[in-house]
């Protein structure tokens, strides 16, 4: 299921993306967020404060959302069954 994530980068710039679940295009809506996810592909990321840890994969929505939570301030994360 696609997720809609709204957040802010460290410099205060806002973003809203759809986490697509597609390896070739993990997020849609922000080139900067897409570059962030691409930068961390193949690295370990913790899915929640208590784990587990998984390797970031663009086709894995959970790891993509975890990268956004770890490297930006996520303000809202909602399940979006009907893509915008």
């Amino acid at each position: 299921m696609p997720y809609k994530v709204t957040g802010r980068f460290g410099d205060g710039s806002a973003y809203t993306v759809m986490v697509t679940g597609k390896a070739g295009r993990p997020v849609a809506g922000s080139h900067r967020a897409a570059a962030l996810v691409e930068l961390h592909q193949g690295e370990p990321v913790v899915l929640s404060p208590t784990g587990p840890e998984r390797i970031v994969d663009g086709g894995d929505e959970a790891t993509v959302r975890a990268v956004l939570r770890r490297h930006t301030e996520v303000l809202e994360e909602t399940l979006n069954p009907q893509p915008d």
Side-chain angles (χ1 to χ4, degrees):
M1 288 286 205
Y3 281 84
K4 186 176 193 175
V5 179
T6 301
R8 217 177 357 229
F9 292 101
D11 65 1
S13 299
Y15 69 87
T16 298
V17 295
M18 291 298 300
V19 178
T20 66
K22 298 176 184 175
R25 188 176 183 199
V27 297
S30 166
H31 293 291
R32 191 169 170 190
L36 178 69
V37 172
E38 184 177 330
L39 177 68
H40 293 285
Q41 291 255 19
E43 296 178 359
V45 67
V46 179
L47 298 183
S48 74
T50 58
E53 183 177 89
R54 291 207 316 233
I55 300 298
V56 177
D57 174 356
D60 181 350
E61 293 177 2
T63 62
V64 170
R65 291 177 13 245
V67 165
L68 294 173
R69 285 192 301 269
R70 180 151 201 283
H71 297 285
T72 71
E73 179 185 357
V74 171
L75 304 172
E76 185 176 29
E77 191 173 350
T78 57
L79 184 61
N80 192 22
Q82 305 295 341
D84 290 342

